[in-house]
Amino acid sequence: MKLDKRFYLRDDVVEIACDLLGKTLITNYNGQLTSGLITETEAYAGKGDKASHAYGGRKTKRTEIMFRQGGIAYIYLCYGIHSLFNIVTNKENIPHAILIRGILPVDGKDIMMKRTRKATIDKNFGVGPGKVSKALGIHFSDSGRDLTGERIWVEDRGIIIENNSILITSRIGIDYAEEDAKLPYRFVIKDPERYI
DNA sequence: CGGCCGATCCACT
DNA sequence: GTGGATCGGCCGA
């Protein structure tokens, strides 16, 4: 069930981003188990991708995480407010990452409602990368955490997403990336509610 | 050391 | 549809 290292160590980050649709992202903080079906992802293809923080091999204290072996979390603060959760893939020194942009709540809905201070779970509850982290309780101090451990992990619960149920588009909020802004690296499940 | 700005979200018009 | 919140990281001096 729990995805192992081999899933994350593959070469093609775009393929892995697509494969993550329909998998379940789970966190367990102090026994508070929460999870959601991954409904939206974006691939960031490392050194050659102008949209990536690691473009050109740029390695800093923050982005150094992406240069490690795949299967760990890369989390950073955006707009001073939002922790954005990424999954690092590929082998060491190839800084590929996948941004999780949307989930559909599955386990621990009451806990997630408390974390987000929402009274209801509507269609857009877990849509948006900042909201994913908020709902699952992920903090940027979790950056570098192993995703085969007991705090944050991804499971395959046997849900199959057919190709014709996947929308492929360009990535969001990366206009600065020039020609790479157009790459079809964003994957979204159409009408994900039917899978839970 | 100072200034700028972002892989966003929400409230408000 | 729009603008304000809010702060760590990055870059240039």
Side-chain angles (χ1 to χ4, degrees):
Chain A
M1 290 247 283
K2 186 185 285 192
L3 298 181
D4 63 18
K5 279 280 175 195
R6 284 169 302 177
F7 180 89
Y8 302 108
L9 293 180
R10 288 178 289 156
D11 287 329
D12 189 345
V13 66
V14 177
E15 177 184 283
I16 302 173
C18 188
D19 286 351
L20 280 169
L21 293 181
K23 302 294 190 288
T24 306
L25 177 60
I26 303 165
T27 63
N28 188 347
Y29 291 95
N30 305 315
Q32 305 232 291
L33 189 93
T34 50
S35 78
L37 193 76
I38 297 172
T39 60
E40 183 176 339
T41 63
E42 279 178 2
Y44 286 83
K47 298 175 185 174
D49 180 355
K50 289 187 179 174
S52 171
H53 293 162
Y55 174 62
R58 220 159 54 83
K59 197 172 182 177
T60 65
K61 192 175 174 189
R62 177 177 68 155
T63 64
E64 167 272 322
I65 303 284
M66 276 195 283
F67 288 78
R68 298 190 201 169
Q69 188 186 61
I72 61 174
Y74 167 56
I75 303 162
Y76 69 94
L77 191 66
C78 193
Y79 295 100
I81 303 172
H82 307 288
S83 295
L84 303 206
F85 174 74
N86 299 250
I87 293 176
V88 176
T89 69
N90 216 319
K91 46 184 85 72
E92 191 174 347
N93 210 33
I94 302 181
H96 288 177
I98 297 163
L99 174 65
I100 307 300
R101 292 190 56 89
I103 58 165
L104 193 59
V106 177
D107 302 301
K109 292 180 186 172
D110 51 335
I111 299 169
M112 292 194 273
M113 286 162 67
K114 245 178 234 169
R115 285 176 181 152
T116 56
R117 299 165 180 270
K118 301 269 186 192
T120 57
I121 292 184
D122 66 3
K123 214 174 163 164
N124 289 321
F125 181 86
V127 180
K131 292 195 277 185
V132 169
S133 296
K134 188 99 182 273
L136 293 173
I138 297 170
H139 187 261
F140 66 85
S141 61
D142 284 308
S143 197
R145 188 177 290 286
D146 190 345
L147 297 179
T148 57
E150 301 300 317
R151 186 83 75 112
I152 308 174
W153 70 95
V154 183
E155 284 182 9
D156 184 347
R157 294 184 173 178
I159 294 169
I160 309 289
I161 313 295
E162 313 83 40
N163 281 335
N164 63 12
S165 298
I166 298 174
L167 183 67
I168 304 178
T169 76
S170 53
R171 293 168 292 181
I172 304 292
I174 53 150
D175 295 341
Y176 59 84
E178 302 172 9
E179 73 274 17
D180 289 341
K182 297 184 187 140
L183 292 170
Y185 283 4
R186 175 170 173 254
F187 301 90
V188 188
I189 300 179
K190 298 176 195 168
D191 304 319
E193 298 79 13
R194 60 202 154 116
Y195 292 106
I196 64 164

